[in-house]
Amino acid sequence: MQDLIDPIFQSKQNLETAFIDGLESMLENDELGVFILVLANALFDDKLWKILKPALAKKFEQLKSCPITGATDDVDVFNQLTKLNFDELEVTQWREIGGFELQYNPLRALRPQRMSATKTKGMSIAFDENGFHFNKLFLQKESFWEGQFFSKKVSLLFNKFPFAPLHGLVVVEREQQHPQLLTFELHQFAWMMANSVSIGIPGFSLAYNSYGAYASVNHFHLQCFVREKPLPLENDKKYPLVHYWFEALSDAWEFIEALHRDEQPYHLIYQNNKILCVVRQRQDDYIHADWTAGYAWYEACGGVSTANIDNFKNLDETELKEELNKLIIK
C-alpha cells in the first residue's frame, strides 16, 4: 500500500522536511496571515523556534512599518501581537498533573473562535460560501501539499495555531464544499488514510470534531498529527467521558449513525486500525471555565491547552477534573 501514496506520507522524516521547508518558504511572503501561521508553528517547537526566530523578528519589524492590511481575523491578531515584546515570546511549555497533559501555548489566546463560539443545533448546517472556509484565496498560501490520496483530492494545510506535533488540516475535496458532517464515504477515507500513513509514520492520527463539539470551521476537515505516546485518555481505565474503541470500520459507522440520529456531538480519533469515539455534551449546554476557550478533541482526550502562564502553573487536578466532568452526558 505504501507505494500507492505520496512520498510525503511514507516517513516521518519526509513529512517533517516538507513541514519545515513549507514554513521557511512562507516567510518570503509579506502577508499577515502567513506570518502569524509561521510564528505560531515555530513557537510550538523549540528547535524550530531557534531556526526561524531571526527571520521572524526581521519580518515582524518589516510588517509593523507598513500599513496593516489583510483578512479581518489576521489584522486583529497582528494588532494584538504588536502590543507584545517579540523577544519575550515563549515556546510552548508542558507539564503533567493527575493524568492530564497541560500545555502553555500563549499564541492560541489570539486564535479567532469562528464557528466554535456560535450556537449550534442538530448535527450540521449548510455550507456558507460567505462564511469562513478553506476555499478563501488568502488561505491557498497556507497549504503545503495538495494531491490525490486514493480516490480523493486532498489539501494539507498548516494548522494556524497548532497544539500537537506536525499539526495539520486535511481538507477533503475542498472544491466540493462539504459541510463539517461526517458521511460514510468520508469516514471510510479517514480510516484508509490513517491506516496507510501510519505504516511509515508510527503515531500518525486523524482527529474529527463534530458540529456542536467545538468544530471551528463548517467546511469538512480532519486534523492530522503525529503522536508517539498515548493520549491521556488511553492511560485511564476510569476515564469519565463515554468513549469506545472500534477495530472495524462498519462497527464504528453504525455507532456514529446512531449519534447522528440522536443529534449527539462527538469526537473521533483515527489511529492505526483503531477508531476512538468520545461522546460529550453539546458545546451550548454548559459554561466552560474562563481559562479555556472550550474543549475539542484534544481536551476531551485529557489534554489541556492554556494561554495564560498563571493558569498553566496554578491549575490543579481538581479544577481539571471539574472542567472535564462538564462534558459528561447527563
Side-chain angles (χ1 to χ4, degrees):
M1 184 178 289
Q2 279 296 91
D3 58 354
L4 298 176
I5 64 175
D6 192 280
I8 191 177
F9 298 112
Q10 291 182 9
S11 74
K12 185 178 180 182
Q13 182 177 350
N14 289 0
L15 183 60
E16 282 182 332
T17 298
F19 195 88
I20 295 169
D21 288 350
L23 290 173
E24 288 184 312
S25 65
M26 288 172 76
L27 278 180
E28 297 171 7
N29 294 288
D30 292 326
E31 297 184 16
L32 294 185
V34 170
F35 169 78
I36 293 163
L37 184 153
V38 179
L39 177 64
N41 276 269
L43 283 169
F44 186 75
D45 184 314
D46 184 61
K47 182 173 69 173
L48 196 55
W49 177 237
K50 289 175 181 175
I51 295 171
L52 294 178
K53 183 178 179 180
L56 282 163
K58 182 178 179 180
K59 181 66 69 173
F60 185 53
E61 293 303 317
Q62 178 186 332
L63 290 171
K64 281 200 304 182
S65 66
C66 300
I68 298 177
T69 60
T72 302
D73 284 346
D74 293 334
V75 171
D76 180 56
V77 171
F78 190 78
N79 282 332
Q80 294 180 71
L81 279 172
T82 60
K83 299 173 185 176
L84 304 175
N85 184 332
F86 189 89
D87 290 329
E88 294 180 357
L89 291 175
E90 298 181 81
V91 177
T92 298
Q93 298 178 38
W94 302 83
R95 74 182 181 104
E96 294 185 4
I97 175 172
F100 292 94
E101 178 180 278
L102 190 60
Q103 61 172 276
Y104 168 52
N105 193 331
L107 247 64
R108 280 188 66 79
L110 309 182
R111 172 178 172 264
Q113 291 297 295
R114 301 197 180 104
M115 191 173 73
S116 60
T118 62
K119 295 293 183 181
T120 68
K121 184 179 181 181
M123 290 308 296
S124 70
I125 53 175
F127 181 89
D128 180 6
E129 197 160 350
N130 295 318
F132 182 90
H133 55 77
F134 298 114
N135 288 332
K136 297 286 187 181
L137 286 176
F138 70 86
L139 285 178
Q140 303 322 302
K141 291 186 177 67
E142 299 183 11
S143 173
F144 70 98
W145 181 86
E146 190 164 274
Q148 289 290 128
F149 202 103
F150 295 119
S151 62
K152 302 290 187 189
K153 184 177 179 181
V154 172
S155 301
L156 185 57
L157 283 70
F158 291 100
N159 193 308
K160 200 162 193 171
F161 295 93
F163 54 89
L166 295 173
H167 198 177
L169 300 175
V170 178
V171 185
V172 186
E173 298 175 327
R174 180 167 51 81
E175 295 86 354
Q176 294 193 28
Q177 301 182 340
H178 300 301
Q180 186 70 350
L181 174 66
L182 195 68
T183 63
F184 177 76
E185 187 177 333
L186 293 168
H187 168 64
Q188 183 180 48
F189 170 81
W191 166 259
M192 293 171 65
M193 183 176 186
N195 290 350
S196 60
V197 176
S198 61
I199 294 172
I201 307 178
F204 180 88
S205 304
L206 295 170
Y208 171 76
N209 294 321
S210 78
Y211 181 69
Y214 281 100
S216 60
V217 181
N218 187 36
H219 191 176
F220 185 82
H221 64 287
L222 303 155
Q223 297 182 36
C224 66
F225 59 97
V226 179
R227 186 183 173 97
E228 296 176 359
K229 66 178 183 179
L231 289 159
L233 171 151
E234 300 179 63
N235 296 322
D236 187 350
K237 293 181 179 180
K238 296 182 179 180
Y239 200 75
L241 299 188
V242 173
H243 63 283
Y244 300 96
W245 288 96
F246 298 96
E247 296 183 354
L249 179 76
S250 56
D251 290 345
W253 182 246
E254 185 177 341
F255 185 70
I256 292 165
E257 280 192 305
L259 295 176
H260 287 181
R261 287 193 298 269
D262 293 341
E263 299 185 347
Q264 173 60 61
Y266 61 93
H267 307 284
L268 296 173
I269 307 289
Y270 294 87
Q271 298 180 342
N272 183 20
N273 292 305
K274 294 190 298 181
I275 301 171
L276 170 67
C277 182
V278 183
V279 185
R280 47 82 52 79
Q281 281 277 22
R282 181 176 293 273
Q283 65 191 58
D284 312 82
D285 292 345
Y286 72 99
I287 298 174
H288 63 67
D290 59 8
W291 46 261
T292 176
Y295 273 31
W297 68 264
Y298 175 67
E299 292 82 8
C301 291
V304 178
S305 178
T306 180
N308 179 285
I309 188 63
D310 291 331
N311 291 333
F312 173 73
K313 292 178 177 178
N314 298 324
L315 281 170
D316 59 33
E317 184 178 350
T318 299
E319 291 172 292
L320 296 176
K321 284 182 176 179
E322 287 175 351
E323 192 66 19
L324 187 64
N325 287 340
K326 293 178 183 178
L327 275 67
I328 297 173
I329 303 299
K330 302 295 192 290

Short mmCIF file of all heavy atoms in Angstrom, two decimals, residues 140-193:
data_model
loop_
_atom_site.label_atom_id
_atom_site.label_comp_id
_atom_site.label_asym_id
_atom_site.label_seq_id
_atom_site.Cartn_x
_atom_site.Cartn_y
_atom_site.Cartn_z
N GLN A 140 -4.75 29.89 0.36
CA GLN A 140 -4.03 28.99 -0.52
C GLN A 140 -2.53 28.96 -0.21
O GLN A 140 -1.86 27.95 -0.44
CB GLN A 140 -4.28 29.37 -1.98
CG GLN A 140 -5.76 29.38 -2.37
CD GLN A 140 -6.56 28.24 -1.74
OE1 GLN A 140 -6.24 27.07 -1.92
NE2 GLN A 140 -7.59 28.57 -0.97
N LYS A 141 -2.00 30.05 0.33
CA LYS A 141 -0.59 30.07 0.72
C LYS A 141 -0.33 29.28 1.99
O LYS A 141 0.83 29.05 2.37
CB LYS A 141 -0.11 31.52 0.90
CG LYS A 141 -0.03 32.32 -0.39
CD LYS A 141 0.58 33.68 -0.12
CE LYS A 141 0.75 34.48 -1.42
NZ LYS A 141 -0.53 34.85 -2.03
N GLU A 142 -1.40 28.89 2.70
CA GLU A 142 -1.24 28.14 3.94
C GLU A 142 -1.27 26.63 3.72
O GLU A 142 -1.21 25.85 4.65
CB GLU A 142 -2.33 28.57 4.94
CG GLU A 142 -2.22 30.05 5.29
CD GLU A 142 -3.24 30.51 6.32
OE1 GLU A 142 -3.90 29.65 6.94
OE2 GLU A 142 -3.36 31.73 6.53
N SER A 143 -1.34 26.22 2.46
CA SER A 143 -1.32 24.80 2.11
C SER A 143 0.11 24.40 1.77
O SER A 143 0.83 25.14 1.11
CB SER A 143 -2.24 24.56 0.91
OG SER A 143 -2.12 23.22 0.45
N PHE A 144 0.55 23.23 2.26
CA PHE A 144 1.90 22.81 1.90
C PHE A 144 1.93 21.49 1.12
O PHE A 144 2.99 21.01 0.73
CB PHE A 144 2.84 22.76 3.12
CG PHE A 144 2.58 21.67 4.12
CD1 PHE A 144 3.30 20.50 4.11
CD2 PHE A 144 1.64 21.86 5.12
CE1 PHE A 144 3.09 19.51 5.05
CE2 PHE A 144 1.42 20.88 6.08
CZ PHE A 144 2.15 19.70 6.04
N TRP A 145 0.76 20.93 0.83
CA TRP A 145 0.71 19.77 -0.06
C TRP A 145 -0.71 19.64 -0.57
O TRP A 145 -1.68 19.86 0.16
CB TRP A 145 1.12 18.49 0.67
CG TRP A 145 1.09 17.29 -0.24
CD1 TRP A 145 2.09 16.85 -1.05
CD2 TRP A 145 0.00 16.36 -0.42
NE1 TRP A 145 1.69 15.73 -1.74
CE2 TRP A 145 0.42 15.41 -1.37
CE3 TRP A 145 -1.28 16.26 0.12
CZ2 TRP A 145 -0.40 14.35 -1.78
CZ3 TRP A 145 -2.09 15.22 -0.29
CH2 TRP A 145 -1.67 14.27 -1.23
N GLU A 146 -0.83 19.28 -1.84
CA GLU A 146 -2.14 19.00 -2.42
C GLU A 146 -1.97 17.91 -3.45
O GLU A 146 -1.02 17.93 -4.24
CB GLU A 146 -2.73 20.27 -3.04
CG GLU A 146 -4.20 20.12 -3.44
CD GLU A 146 -4.88 21.46 -3.69
OE1 GLU A 146 -5.38 22.06 -2.72
OE2 GLU A 146 -4.89 21.88 -4.86
N GLY A 147 -2.88 16.96 -3.44
CA GLY A 147 -2.78 15.87 -4.41
C GLY A 147 -3.86 14.84 -4.18
O GLY A 147 -4.79 15.02 -3.39
N GLN A 148 -3.73 13.72 -4.89
CA GLN A 148 -4.68 12.62 -4.76
C GLN A 148 -4.25 11.70 -3.63
O GLN A 148 -3.07 11.35 -3.52
CB GLN A 148 -4.75 11.82 -6.06
CG GLN A 148 -5.42 12.55 -7.21
CD GLN A 148 -6.91 12.70 -7.01
OE1 GLN A 148 -7.46 13.80 -7.10
NE2 GLN A 148 -7.59 11.61 -6.73
N PHE A 149 -5.20 11.34 -2.81
CA PHE A 149 -4.95 10.32 -1.79
C PHE A 149 -6.02 9.27 -2.00
O PHE A 149 -7.20 9.53 -1.73
CB PHE A 149 -5.00 10.90 -0.38
CG PHE A 149 -4.25 10.07 0.61
CD1 PHE A 149 -3.00 10.45 1.06
CD2 PHE A 149 -4.79 8.87 1.06
CE1 PHE A 149 -2.30 9.65 1.96
CE2 PHE A 149 -4.10 8.08 1.96
CZ PHE A 149 -2.85 8.47 2.42
N PHE A 150 -5.61 8.11 -2.51
CA PHE A 150 -6.56 7.12 -3.01
C PHE A 150 -7.47 7.81 -4.02
O PHE A 150 -7.00 8.39 -4.97
CB PHE A 150 -7.31 6.45 -1.87
CG PHE A 150 -6.40 5.62 -0.97
CD1 PHE A 150 -6.27 5.91 0.37
CD2 PHE A 150 -5.66 4.58 -1.49
CE1 PHE A 150 -5.40 5.17 1.18
CE2 PHE A 150 -4.81 3.83 -0.70
CZ PHE A 150 -4.68 4.13 0.64
N SER A 151 -8.76 7.85 -3.81
CA SER A 151 -9.66 8.42 -4.82
C SER A 151 -10.05 9.86 -4.54
O SER A 151 -10.86 10.44 -5.28
CB SER A 151 -10.94 7.57 -4.91
OG SER A 151 -11.62 7.59 -3.66
N LYS A 152 -9.48 10.47 -3.51
CA LYS A 152 -9.91 11.81 -3.10
C LYS A 152 -8.81 12.85 -3.36
O LYS A 152 -7.63 12.57 -3.20
CB LYS A 152 -10.24 11.83 -1.59
CG LYS A 152 -11.31 10.86 -1.14
CD LYS A 152 -12.67 11.26 -1.63
CE LYS A 152 -13.74 10.36 -1.03
NZ LYS A 152 -15.06 10.61 -1.67
N LYS A 153 -9.25 14.05 -3.73
CA LYS A 153 -8.32 15.17 -3.80
C LYS A 153 -8.22 15.76 -2.40
O LYS A 153 -9.23 16.10 -1.77
CB LYS A 153 -8.82 16.23 -4.79
CG LYS A 153 -7.82 17.37 -4.97
CD LYS A 153 -8.28 18.37 -6.00
CE LYS A 153 -7.26 19.51 -6.14
NZ LYS A 153 -7.70 20.53 -7.12
N VAL A 154 -7.00 15.89 -1.93
CA VAL A 154 -6.76 16.31 -0.55
C VAL A 154 -5.85 17.53 -0.52
O VAL A 154 -4.86 17.58 -1.25
CB VAL A 154 -6.14 15.16 0.27
CG1 VAL A 154 -5.70 15.65 1.65
CG2 VAL A 154 -7.12 14.01 0.40
N SER A 155 -6.20 18.50 0.31
CA SER A 155 -5.34 19.65 0.56
C SER A 155 -4.86 19.55 2.01
O SER A 155 -5.67 19.37 2.92
CB SER A 155 -6.10 20.96 0.37
OG SER A 155 -6.62 21.06 -0.94
N LEU A 156 -3.55 19.64 2.19
CA LEU A 156 -2.98 19.58 3.53
C LEU A 156 -2.49 20.98 3.90
O LEU A 156 -1.58 21.51 3.26
CB LEU A 156 -1.82 18.58 3.57
CG LEU A 156 -1.18 18.29 4.92
CD1 LEU A 156 -2.20 17.80 5.92
CD2 LEU A 156 -0.08 17.24 4.75
N LEU A 157 -3.13 21.59 4.89
CA LEU A 157 -2.80 22.94 5.32
C LEU A 157 -2.11 22.89 6.67
O LEU A 157 -2.34 21.98 7.48
CB LEU A 157 -4.06 23.81 5.45
CG LEU A 157 -4.70 24.36 4.18
CD1 LEU A 157 -5.36 23.26 3.35
CD2 LEU A 157 -5.77 25.40 4.54
N PHE A 158 -1.27 23.88 6.93
CA PHE A 158 -0.75 24.04 8.28
C PHE A 158 -1.91 24.41 9.21
O PHE A 158 -2.83 25.13 8.81
CB PHE A 158 0.28 25.17 8.33
CG PHE A 158 1.56 24.88 7.62
CD1 PHE A 158 1.79 25.37 6.35
CD2 PHE A 158 2.55 24.12 8.24
CE1 PHE A 158 2.99 25.11 5.70
CE2 PHE A 158 3.74 23.85 7.59
CZ PHE A 158 3.97 24.35 6.31
N ASN A 159 -1.86 23.94 10.45
CA ASN A 159 -2.78 24.45 11.45
C ASN A 159 -2.22 25.79 11.92
O ASN A 159 -1.07 25.88 12.34
CB ASN A 159 -2.90 23.48 12.64
CG ASN A 159 -4.07 23.83 13.53
OD1 ASN A 159 -4.21 24.97 13.97
ND2 ASN A 159 -4.92 22.85 13.79
N LYS A 160 -3.03 26.83 11.82
CA LYS A 160 -2.53 28.18 12.08
C LYS A 160 -2.13 28.39 13.54
O LYS A 160 -1.23 29.19 13.84
CB LYS A 160 -3.57 29.21 11.67
CG LYS A 160 -3.02 30.60 11.42
CD LYS A 160 -4.01 31.42 10.62
CE LYS A 160 -3.41 32.68 10.10
NZ LYS A 160 -4.32 33.36 9.14
N PHE A 161 -2.79 27.69 14.45
CA PHE A 161 -2.46 27.80 15.87
C PHE A 161 -2.32 26.37 16.43
O PHE A 161 -3.22 25.85 17.08
CB PHE A 161 -3.55 28.58 16.62
CG PHE A 161 -3.66 30.02 16.19
CD1 PHE A 161 -4.55 30.40 15.20
CD2 PHE A 161 -2.87 31.00 16.77
CE1 PHE A 161 -4.66 31.72 14.79
CE2 PHE A 161 -2.96 32.32 16.37
CZ PHE A 161 -3.85 32.69 15.37
N PRO A 162 -1.19 25.72 16.16
CA PRO A 162 -1.05 24.29 16.48
C PRO A 162 -0.98 24.00 17.97
O PRO A 162 -0.54 24.83 18.76
CB PRO A 162 0.26 23.92 15.79
CG PRO A 162 1.05 25.19 15.81
CD PRO A 162 0.04 26.29 15.59
N PHE A 163 -1.44 22.80 18.33
CA PHE A 163 -1.30 22.34 19.71
C PHE A 163 -0.91 20.86 19.75
O PHE A 163 -1.04 20.19 20.76
CB PHE A 163 -2.60 22.57 20.50
CG PHE A 163 -3.84 21.97 19.86
CD1 PHE A 163 -4.22 20.68 20.13
CD2 PHE A 163 -4.62 22.73 19.00
CE1 PHE A 163 -5.36 20.12 19.55
CE2 PHE A 163 -5.76 22.20 18.41
CZ PHE A 163 -6.14 20.89 18.69
N ALA A 164 -0.43 20.35 18.61
CA ALA A 164 0.01 18.95 18.51
C ALA A 164 1.19 18.89 17.54
O ALA A 164 1.30 19.73 16.65
CB ALA A 164 -1.14 18.06 18.03
N PRO A 165 2.07 17.90 17.67
CA PRO A 165 3.23 17.79 16.78
C PRO A 165 2.81 17.56 15.32
O PRO A 165 1.91 16.76 15.05
CB PRO A 165 3.98 16.57 17.34
CG PRO A 165 3.52 16.45 18.76
CD PRO A 165 2.10 16.90 18.75
N LEU A 166 3.47 18.25 14.39
CA LEU A 166 3.17 18.16 12.96
C LEU A 166 1.67 18.29 12.71
O LEU A 166 1.04 17.51 12.01
CB LEU A 166 3.70 16.83 12.39
CG LEU A 166 5.23 16.70 12.41
CD1 LEU A 166 5.67 15.30 12.00
CD2 LEU A 166 5.89 17.74 11.51
N HIS A 167 1.11 19.32 13.29
CA HIS A 167 -0.34 19.53 13.31
C HIS A 167 -0.80 20.17 12.00
O HIS A 167 -0.38 21.28 11.66
CB HIS A 167 -0.67 20.45 14.49
CG HIS A 167 -2.10 20.41 14.91
ND1 HIS A 167 -2.57 21.13 15.98
CD2 HIS A 167 -3.18 19.76 14.39
CE1 HIS A 167 -3.86 20.91 16.12
NE2 HIS A 167 -4.25 20.09 15.16
N GLY A 168 -1.63 19.47 11.27
CA GLY A 168 -2.14 19.99 10.01
C GLY A 168 -3.64 19.83 9.88
O GLY A 168 -4.30 19.20 10.71
N LEU A 169 -4.18 20.42 8.82
CA LEU A 169 -5.60 20.29 8.49
C LEU A 169 -5.71 19.53 7.18
O LEU A 169 -5.10 19.92 6.17
CB LEU A 169 -6.25 21.66 8.34
CG LEU A 169 -6.21 22.57 9.58
CD1 LEU A 169 -6.79 23.94 9.24
CD2 LEU A 169 -6.98 21.93 10.72
N VAL A 170 -6.46 18.45 7.19
CA VAL A 170 -6.68 17.64 6.00
C VAL A 170 -8.06 18.00 5.45
O VAL A 170 -9.08 17.63 6.02
CB VAL A 170 -6.60 16.13 6.33
CG1 VAL A 170 -6.89 15.29 5.09
CG2 VAL A 170 -5.23 15.79 6.91
N VAL A 171 -8.06 18.76 4.36
CA VAL A 171 -9.32 19.20 3.76
C VAL A 171 -9.60 18.30 2.57
O VAL A 171 -8.82 18.27 1.60
CB VAL A 171 -9.26 20.68 3.33
CG1 VAL A 171 -10.62 21.15 2.82
CG2 VAL A 171 -8.81 21.55 4.52
N VAL A 172 -10.69 17.56 2.64
CA VAL A 172 -11.00 16.55 1.63
C VAL A 172 -11.97 17.12 0.60
O VAL A 172 -13.03 17.64 0.95
CB VAL A 172 -11.62 15.30 2.30
CG1 VAL A 172 -11.80 14.18 1.27
CG2 VAL A 172 -10.74 14.83 3.45
N GLU A 173 -11.60 17.04 -0.67
CA GLU A 173 -12.43 17.53 -1.78
C GLU A 173 -12.88 18.97 -1.51
O GLU A 173 -14.05 19.29 -1.48
CB GLU A 173 -13.63 16.61 -2.00
CG GLU A 173 -13.22 15.19 -2.38
CD GLU A 173 -14.40 14.24 -2.49
OE1 GLU A 173 -15.38 14.39 -1.74
OE2 GLU A 173 -14.32 13.30 -3.30
N ARG A 174 -11.87 19.80 -1.33
CA ARG A 174 -12.09 21.20 -0.92
C ARG A 174 -13.11 21.92 -1.79
O ARG A 174 -13.99 22.63 -1.29
CB ARG A 174 -10.74 21.92 -0.97
CG ARG A 174 -10.75 23.37 -0.58
CD ARG A 174 -9.34 23.89 -0.35
NE ARG A 174 -8.42 23.61 -1.44
CZ ARG A 174 -8.35 24.33 -2.57
NH1 ARG A 174 -9.17 25.38 -2.73
NH2 ARG A 174 -7.47 24.05 -3.51
N GLU A 175 -13.02 21.74 -3.10
CA GLU A 175 -13.89 22.47 -4.02
C GLU A 175 -15.35 22.04 -3.92
O GLU A 175 -16.26 22.76 -4.33
CB GLU A 175 -13.42 22.31 -5.47
CG GLU A 175 -12.06 22.92 -5.75
CD GLU A 175 -10.91 21.97 -5.44
OE1 GLU A 175 -11.18 20.88 -4.89
OE2 GLU A 175 -9.76 22.33 -5.72
N GLN A 176 -15.60 20.84 -3.39
CA GLN A 176 -16.98 20.34 -3.32
C GLN A 176 -17.76 20.93 -2.14
O GLN A 176 -18.95 20.71 -2.00
CB GLN A 176 -17.00 18.82 -3.27
CG GLN A 176 -16.49 18.18 -4.56
CD GLN A 176 -16.79 16.69 -4.64
OE1 GLN A 176 -17.77 16.21 -4.07
NE2 GLN A 176 -15.95 15.95 -5.34
N GLN A 177 -17.08 21.66 -1.28
CA GLN A 177 -17.72 22.43 -0.21
C GLN A 177 -18.59 21.57 0.71
O GLN A 177 -19.72 21.90 1.04
CB GLN A 177 -18.55 23.58 -0.81
CG GLN A 177 -17.73 24.53 -1.66
CD GLN A 177 -18.53 25.69 -2.22
OE1 GLN A 177 -19.76 25.64 -2.31
NE2 GLN A 177 -17.85 26.74 -2.62
N HIS A 178 -18.03 20.45 1.14
CA HIS A 178 -18.74 19.61 2.11
C HIS A 178 -18.83 20.35 3.45
O HIS A 178 -17.83 20.89 3.92
CB HIS A 178 -17.98 18.30 2.36
CG HIS A 178 -17.79 17.45 1.15
ND1 HIS A 178 -18.82 16.96 0.40
CD2 HIS A 178 -16.64 16.98 0.57
CE1 HIS A 178 -18.35 16.21 -0.58
NE2 HIS A 178 -17.03 16.22 -0.51
N PRO A 179 -19.98 20.38 4.10
CA PRO A 179 -20.04 20.94 5.45
C PRO A 179 -19.34 20.00 6.43
O PRO A 179 -18.97 18.87 6.06
CB PRO A 179 -21.54 21.03 5.73
CG PRO A 179 -22.13 19.94 4.90
CD PRO A 179 -21.28 19.89 3.64
N GLN A 180 -19.17 20.43 7.68
CA GLN A 180 -18.49 19.61 8.69
C GLN A 180 -19.46 18.55 9.21
O GLN A 180 -19.89 18.57 10.35
CB GLN A 180 -17.95 20.48 9.82
CG GLN A 180 -17.10 19.74 10.86
CD GLN A 180 -15.75 19.29 10.32
OE1 GLN A 180 -15.47 19.34 9.14
NE2 GLN A 180 -14.90 18.81 11.21
N LEU A 181 -19.79 17.60 8.34
CA LEU A 181 -20.67 16.49 8.68
C LEU A 181 -20.07 15.21 8.10
O LEU A 181 -19.86 15.11 6.89
CB LEU A 181 -22.08 16.71 8.11
CG LEU A 181 -23.05 15.53 8.30
CD1 LEU A 181 -23.34 15.29 9.78
CD2 LEU A 181 -24.35 15.78 7.53
N LEU A 182 -19.80 14.26 8.96
CA LEU A 182 -19.19 13.01 8.52
C LEU A 182 -20.21 12.16 7.76
O LEU A 182 -21.32 11.95 8.23
CB LEU A 182 -18.66 12.24 9.74
CG LEU A 182 -17.69 11.10 9.44
CD1 LEU A 182 -16.37 11.64 8.91
CD2 LEU A 182 -17.44 10.28 10.71
N THR A 183 -19.81 11.68 6.58
CA THR A 183 -20.59 10.71 5.82
C THR A 183 -19.84 9.39 5.83
O THR A 183 -18.65 9.35 6.21
CB THR A 183 -20.78 11.17 4.37
OG1 THR A 183 -19.48 11.24 3.74
CG2 THR A 183 -21.45 12.55 4.31
N PHE A 184 -20.48 8.32 5.39
CA PHE A 184 -19.77 7.05 5.38
C PHE A 184 -18.56 7.11 4.46
O PHE A 184 -17.49 6.59 4.78
CB PHE A 184 -20.68 5.90 4.93
CG PHE A 184 -19.95 4.59 4.83
CD1 PHE A 184 -19.62 3.89 5.98
CD2 PHE A 184 -19.54 4.09 3.59
CE1 PHE A 184 -18.89 2.70 5.91
CE2 PHE A 184 -18.82 2.90 3.51
CZ PHE A 184 -18.50 2.21 4.67
N GLU A 185 -18.69 7.78 3.32
CA GLU A 185 -17.59 7.87 2.37
C GLU A 185 -16.39 8.60 2.98
O GLU A 185 -15.24 8.18 2.82
CB GLU A 185 -18.06 8.59 1.11
CG GLU A 185 -17.06 8.60 -0.02
CD GLU A 185 -17.61 9.28 -1.27
OE1 GLU A 185 -18.84 9.28 -1.45
OE2 GLU A 185 -16.81 9.81 -2.05
N LEU A 186 -16.65 9.69 3.70
CA LEU A 186 -15.56 10.44 4.33
C LEU A 186 -14.98 9.67 5.52
O LEU A 186 -13.77 9.72 5.78
CB LEU A 186 -16.07 11.82 4.77
CG LEU A 186 -16.43 12.76 3.60
CD1 LEU A 186 -17.19 13.98 4.12
CD2 LEU A 186 -15.18 13.18 2.84
N HIS A 187 -15.83 8.97 6.23
CA HIS A 187 -15.40 8.11 7.34
C HIS A 187 -14.47 7.01 6.81
O HIS A 187 -13.39 6.76 7.38
CB HIS A 187 -16.65 7.51 7.98
CG HIS A 187 -16.42 6.39 8.94
ND1 HIS A 187 -15.73 6.54 10.13
CD2 HIS A 187 -16.83 5.09 8.90
CE1 HIS A 187 -15.72 5.37 10.79
NE2 HIS A 187 -16.36 4.49 10.06
N GLN A 188 -14.85 6.41 5.71
CA GLN A 188 -14.03 5.36 5.10
C GLN A 188 -12.69 5.92 4.64
O GLN A 188 -11.64 5.28 4.82
CB GLN A 188 -14.78 4.74 3.91
CG GLN A 188 -14.05 3.60 3.24
CD GLN A 188 -14.85 3.03 2.09
OE1 GLN A 188 -15.35 3.77 1.24
NE2 GLN A 188 -15.00 1.72 2.06
N PHE A 189 -12.72 7.12 4.07
CA PHE A 189 -11.47 7.75 3.63
C PHE A 189 -10.53 7.99 4.81
O PHE A 189 -9.33 7.72 4.74
CB PHE A 189 -11.75 9.08 2.92
CG PHE A 189 -10.51 9.87 2.66
CD1 PHE A 189 -9.71 9.58 1.58
CD2 PHE A 189 -10.11 10.88 3.54
CE1 PHE A 189 -8.53 10.29 1.36
CE2 PHE A 189 -8.94 11.59 3.33
CZ PHE A 189 -8.15 11.29 2.24
N ALA A 190 -11.08 8.53 5.91
CA ALA A 190 -10.25 8.81 7.09
C ALA A 190 -9.62 7.53 7.63
O ALA A 190 -8.43 7.51 8.01
CB ALA A 190 -11.09 9.49 8.17
N TRP A 191 -10.38 6.47 7.66
CA TRP A 191 -9.89 5.16 8.12
C TRP A 191 -8.73 4.68 7.23
O TRP A 191 -7.67 4.27 7.72
CB TRP A 191 -11.06 4.18 8.08
CG TRP A 191 -10.77 2.73 8.20
CD1 TRP A 191 -10.73 1.81 7.18
CD2 TRP A 191 -10.55 1.96 9.39
NE1 TRP A 191 -10.50 0.55 7.66
CE2 TRP A 191 -10.38 0.61 9.01
CE3 TRP A 191 -10.48 2.30 10.75
CZ2 TRP A 191 -10.13 -0.40 9.94
CZ3 TRP A 191 -10.23 1.28 11.68
CH2 TRP A 191 -10.07 -0.05 11.28
N MET A 192 -8.92 4.78 5.91
CA MET A 192 -7.91 4.32 4.96
C MET A 192 -6.65 5.18 5.05
O MET A 192 -5.52 4.67 5.00
CB MET A 192 -8.47 4.33 3.54
CG MET A 192 -9.57 3.31 3.31
SD MET A 192 -10.39 3.53 1.69
CE MET A 192 -9.05 3.16 0.57
N MET A 193 -6.82 6.50 5.19
CA MET A 193 -5.66 7.37 5.26
C MET A 193 -4.86 7.12 6.53
O MET A 193 -3.63 6.99 6.50
CB MET A 193 -6.09 8.84 5.20
CG MET A 193 -4.91 9.80 5.20
SD MET A 193 -5.39 11.54 5.00
CE MET A 193 -3.76 12.31 4.85
#
